[in-house]
Amino acid sequence: MAASAARGAMALRTNIGRPVAFVRKIPWTAASSELREHFAQFGHVRKCTVPFDKETGFHKGMGWIHFSSEEELHNALQQENHVIDGVKLHVQPQRPKALQGDQTSDEEKDF
Amino acid sequence: MAALLRSARWLLRATAAPYLPLSLRLLAGGPGRPHAALCLRAARARPVAGGLLSQARLHSIAAEKKNDLQEEPTSSHRRNASQFDWALMRLDNSVRRTGRIPKTLLQKVFDNTCHSGSPGGNQALLLLRSCGSLLPELKLSERTEFAHKIWDELQKLGTVYDVSHYNALLKVYLQNEHKFSPTDFLAKMEKGNVQPNRVTYQRLIAAYCNMGDIEGASTILGFMKTKDLPVTEAVFSALVTGHARSGDMENAENILTVMKEAGIEPGPDTYLALLNAYAEKGDIDHVKQTLEKVEKSDLYLMDRDLLQIILSFSKAGYPQYVPEILEKITYERRYIPDTMNLILLLVTEKLEDTALQILLACPISRESSLNDFGSFFLRHCVTVNTPPEQLRDYCKKLKEAQLHTSPLQFTLQCALVAQKFDLAKVLMKALKEEGFPIRTHYFWPLLVGHQKEKNVQGIVEVLKGMHEMGVTPDQETYVNYVFPSFDSIESVRAVLQENGCPHDDNVFSQAELRSKAVNGNLDYILSFMESNTLPFSFASLRGSLILGFRRSMNINLWSKITELLYKDGRYCQEPPGPTEAVGYFLYNLIDSMSDSEVQAKEEHLRQYFHQLKEMNVKIPENIYRGIRNLLDSYHVPELIKDVNILVEREKTDSRKTSKPSSSDLESKLEKLKAENQPIGDILKQLILMLCSEENMQKALELKAKYESDMVVGGYAALINLCCRHDNAEDALNLKREFDRLDSSAVLDTGKYVRLVKVLGKHGKLQDAINILKEMKEKDVLIKDATVLSFFHILNGAALRGETETVKQLHEAIVTLGLAKPSTTLSSPLVTLYLEKDDLPAALESTIDCYEKYKILPRIHDVLCKLIEKGETELIQKAMDFVSQEQGEMTMLYDLFFAFLQTGNYKEAKKIIETPGIRARPTRLQWFCDRCIANNQVETLEKLVELTQKLFECDRDQLYYSLLKLYNAFNIFLTAKKQNIVFDNEAYARLINLLLMKDNSTQAMQVKDFAETHIKGFTLNDAANSLLIITQVRRDYLKDALTTLKTALDLDQIPSRLAVTRLIQACALKGDTESVQDIQKLVNGLEDSIGLSRMVFINNIALAQIKNNNIDVAIESIENMLTSENQTVDPQYFGLAYLFRKVIEGQLEPALEKISIMVERLANQFAVYKPVTDLFLQLVDSGKVDDARALLQAPVMKSLLELIPELIDKEEAYSCLMKSYVFDSDVASAKALYESLTAKNVKLNDLFLKRYAVLLKNAGESVPFTEPPESFEFYAKQLKESKETHL
């Protein structure tokens, strides 16, 4: 049972202070290399993931761009329009898991 | 009542629904003809085939039925009401938004309805009515088929049909132009004991009329007249159609006059029937004339009606007249769904050209918000297999008309989803011609489709298609989408070659390697890397290798692979070189693991680092620092020193110019000191360097030596170093010196936290609190990570049971305001008591937290434990408290979850059925997530089951959670049912998983299946070892032995535990042969497995003894211990296991012979280990007397030399005294007495009596009062006390 408390706490750690952009509405025609190519203009892309669903062979339209620095992430977020294959992407900073961790905790606020 | 109220709400919503054409028509009907008006609703039911149903219809379906419901509220109806609401809502939403229902949705609602047990009449009605024109995407025949399926299935489930159901079915027939015999239909109703009503007759007339059978229609009409049923506009409209279809247009027109004579003015429906009749004949002139006539009248035709005429023209083969009608359409926004549905219907009827014509005419499609409006058309064309070239042409037209921005890409996506390879190829070619790139992942959905069916030929075709398109499969393609369809990667290669499928060998090999790596097949990786000759990019393998490492946990393989990467010329040799590459790899490996994983694998990692050290693997210092920071953030700083040993120091030495070594610095320091020059800077540098080398001792010495020259930075580093080495004392002293040096200096947050941790751990609470105070005073930056560290500090202390530490530190952190109390941060306050099983205190502590901070940490865990222990009063107390503070609902949920968690489903059910309880999505989700995280399938299933009737509960979300948790075994079962066979690795992994979860039955099922379906099916080391253990536990020793052989044949190294278990089980069965077989099998592997030779000696002897070959066993042991060339040093010749088993098995004859043997070995051969083992085993199993008998003086003395601590055992010293008395050895007796009294051993009377008598006999004085009674008395007393003790 102590483990569950520790797990909750663990969620706090992940991604704190890592410059990651969360991208949605990626057209099906684009995959990680297209994304990487696009975001390279804002800085060094350390890692770019667009997970594919092995059941369908399509991705789910979401991806993560890991930049080297906060500044690069900031550059990317500054740009208003991100368009790949004629489709406008939604780009936002990756929400630190800390917030999510708190929301799913046992603490109830609906009374 | 609630259900009824809800129904009422539905009713309200239904009537309040916007744009009800129905009511418009009702108004249009006007007053004065109440009868006709009443029937209008039925009249608008459109006996015309293929009619488009209005959105309003569905609402009225519900509303009509609901009225009946209120009149006869039977209990079963009520029970189903909420289910019905849900289904209705889904269908209603769909109809409201789009005017149609997708087949999948209807199927889903149907399945759900069936699943609910006894579907009510309302649900049946709803489903049946959905099977007509609301399904424009389905062929007419398919719709009727669907309706029949629903009809039969629900009947089987006990649904009772009344006239409304029969009428609904009739309507579906009409809408779907289903040919049927009205008389048979009436017979069917009669058989079902259902009386037809006016609507039935009306629709039967329409059925006859649709077939052009005026005679049939007249018969029914006559029947209606005899029953005095009113003849409505609908009947007349049907007759218009009937005459027209029988070829009698004149009489069709005449019907309108007849109507007027009968006092019914022809309405839009009648005119529409006439218009459709002309359209079917291709008579555009009469259509136009009639339309003009309607325009002149006060009647009004809606877009929907005009669309109907278009449909009639198109279906009858007169598309040329479509534009003329299109012109008249107003394109009112509310008719867009109707237009779309007509387009879909036309596509379904293979009239795509007409459909496109309508689409292109649709002005709405050019609005910017709907810029890909044409998508629904393209998608449906793909579904109905419109020829590829034709579709390509449509794409072009849509693009030109700006109805779609990327029609080709969209259509391609649809083709891929639908697995239409030929179409996909045409579209890709078109894209390529237009200059768009064709990307590798475009082919993945196609591969997935074939993969599901294990269609190897299909996969080959796709790969060939890729080649045609000029796309080369990359590693991902092979690893994720090609390999899984084959039994082995070797067979992929063979099949590709056989089929002349071009592939890049290098990409392929690397994909193979990755695939093996991801599956944890490190043996393969090692041998590949050893024999590989191809150019090779380590970077591309890194990710997979890390996954493989984490999956395998075979540290020897980890090290060997790492060594190869480091040293072999083929890998990592290019700049920046192996040191960088391997260092980075280690960093990534640790980075990829979660902190709990690193914590759990701490020992493995330590072993790995040390093996690397032995292999002389080095990593650069900067990467080491990165790893150090990672380990720090994972709360395992204990591993830092183990990574530190890998840091490349020689290189640092060789680059003297840029960075001097610590010894250089030291000599320089001494030199400066000797010259009386300032040394502050260099001292700090040296201290920092020693800190980074983790050399605490040296650093502390240096500090002591040059204390006066120390600066703040040096102290900070030293403090941190001491904390890392768990050295609280020095850390604290250094901190004090640091403060004395500069009381305003501030450490960084991490160092403060580490100090608090170490001080707390060593009980220096006040000092820890002082540090916290200082953090507050000096306004140290508190980050999320800091709060997390506080939690870890408190939690660690709570787990160690350090009440004061937890309480005081928590108090200090909170009151100082360093962190806000939260369910996480404060949970250690409760954990403290939960760990000690002190439930009243745990509850008290939770409540206390609420009173102080308004949070209830770990209330769920507390409740679960209370329930488990049946602490009724405390549960009551907890519930009263929660109820009072947070409301009854929260309390009920707390209790519900606790009951579920503890498996008290009955109680949980009672709670959730409390009247008035409503769904709380966040709480339900919280519990779902918890179940998923803890892999509690049953609990989650129960949650889903019990919340079935919970008001406003989002079932989808719950099912989704359940699906997330359902284990792979269910997937296996489903796949098996569908005859899908996975590859070797998939099964192996599944078996491994099941064995680990202790699901051996399921594991065996999978294994049996895999063995019969995959030639040469094999498991990996870990799975085989688990399998052996399972087989042994289930007493399938033969099978276990076979598994062992198989594993060894595959050059696998089974685990020590597995082999030992098997040997022991065989031995206990007396199966000497098997034990010897195993010995031969693992010969030479003992060290890799980690088997001691004694395992075999013990167990062979045990097996022989079990077989009554006691003498053979004893002789062979004796021979081994006394022969010239001993295989095992007698000192390590441990027979404890054998002895224990013999004692436990009460094998008296064997025990006797063994006793004789060990005595003989001790007395004659001076081999004392066996006698010691036996002695200890006898004592352990309470056979004290036997143990004592074993220890006669000579043995005893030698024994004591061997194990001096034995003297403290009462049996031992008593025996010894007895033997000294026997030998009259006063000196030894004295020494014994003194050593025992010095140790404050409480001596028994018998011992004292013996010693006193010995002394007296020797003429010496007795230093204590001699026990007065006789030897026998004390012997008896001692024996009795021992017995009562036992």
Side-chain angles (χ1 to χ4, degrees), chain B residues 198-247:
Chain B
R198 180 185 51 78
V199 176
T200 320
Y201 293 126
Q202 210 165 278
R203 289 184 184 165
L204 286 173
I205 289 173
Y208 275 121
C209 287
N210 280 352
M211 294 182 279
D213 186 348
I214 289 297
E215 208 177 308
S218 305
T219 319
I220 307 271
L221 201 56
F223 208 65
M224 281 178 83
K225 277 188 175 154
T226 60
K227 294 205 163 194
D228 208 20
L229 294 171
V231 175
T232 58
E233 188 196 353
V235 175
F236 287 110
S237 303
L239 289 172
V240 171
T241 310
H243 283 292
R245 294 222 170 143
S246 72

Side-chain angles (χ1 to χ4, degrees), chain B residues 9-21:
Chain B
R9 217 178 43 204
W10 261 109
L11 200 67
L12 280 173
R13 213 194 297 175
T15 37
Y19 47 81
L20 272 180

Side-chain angles (χ1 to χ4, degrees), chain B residues 366-606:
Chain B
R366 283 179 193 80
E367 282 180 21
S368 60
S369 61
L370 289 165
N371 57 6
D372 285 345
F373 183 69
S375 291
F376 76 100
F377 165 73
L378 292 171
R379 183 188 289 118
H380 196 44
C381 284
V382 172
T383 310
V384 302
N385 288 323
T386 302
E389 290 303 334
Q390 201 175 326
L391 246 176
R392 188 184 165 168
D393 188 46
Y394 292 160
C395 287
K396 205 172 143 203
K397 284 183 175 148
L398 284 178
K399 178 116 191 183
E400 280 166 4
Q402 292 178 332
L403 275 174
H404 206 290
T405 48
S406 50
L408 278 172
Q409 286 90 338
F410 178 79
T411 314
L412 175 57
Q413 186 187 13
C414 297
L416 294 175
V417 169
Q419 304 286 329
K420 295 188 172 162
F421 189 29
D422 289 330
L423 174 59
K425 274 203 274 193
V426 170
L427 294 166
M428 283 197 235
K429 270 182 201 142
L431 276 171
K432 213 175 165 186
E433 278 167 25
E434 290 185 22
F436 290 105
I438 304 301
R439 293 172 184 143
T440 318
H441 70 268
Y442 292 5
F443 295 86
W444 293 351
L446 296 168
L447 290 169
V448 164
H450 295 312
Q451 188 181 316
K452 281 181 186 151
E453 290 154 15
K454 282 233 133 194
N455 178 358
V456 169
Q457 204 47 48
I459 287 181
V460 170
E461 289 309 316
V462 176
L463 289 174
K464 280 185 178 170
M466 287 178 87
H467 184 68
E468 275 172 46
M469 222 59 74
V471 176
T472 324
D474 55 7
Q475 291 186 26
E476 271 81 12
T477 309
Y478 285 123
V479 172
N480 295 329
Y481 303 100
V482 177
F483 292 165
S485 301
F486 291 78
D487 296 339
S488 69
I489 295 171
E490 290 68 37
S491 66
V492 184
R493 194 175 261 133
V495 167
L496 292 190
Q497 252 150 21
E498 236 170 72
N499 287 278
C501 205
H503 61 276
D504 182 330
D505 234 6
N506 200 6
V507 174
F508 190 90
S509 307
Q510 293 202 22
E512 175 174 17
L513 195 61
R514 265 177 65 173
S515 165
K516 302 266 185 184
V518 166
N519 291 320
N521 190 345
L522 297 187
D523 288 306
Y524 177 88
I525 305 299
L526 185 61
S527 66
F528 175 90
M529 290 179 61
E530 279 168 349
S531 60
N532 167 47
T533 53
L534 292 163
F536 179 90
S537 143
F538 171 64
S540 75
L541 180 66
R542 194 192 295 123
S544 318
L545 196 55
I546 284 171
L547 272 176
F549 268 36
R550 290 170 55 197
R551 196 158 277 174
S552 143
M553 289 322 287
N554 182 334
I555 300 304
N556 291 335
L557 284 172
W558 283 30
S559 309
K560 280 182 196 159
I561 291 171
T562 317
E563 185 184 25
L564 204 61
L565 285 172
Y566 189 82
K567 292 181 180 163
D568 199 293
R570 287 166 290 186
Y571 313 105
C572 304
Q573 297 305 308
E574 284 152 33
T579 316
E580 287 275 319
V582 169
Y584 192 49
F585 174 72
L586 290 184
Y587 178 87
N588 279 307
L589 175 65
I590 294 167
D591 190 35
S592 74
M593 295 161 92
S594 67
D595 48 5
S596 57
E597 193 179 352
V598 173
Q599 282 159 14
K601 291 175 178 171
E602 188 182 327
E603 261 323 301
H604 282 106
L605 287 166
R606 182 165 291 126

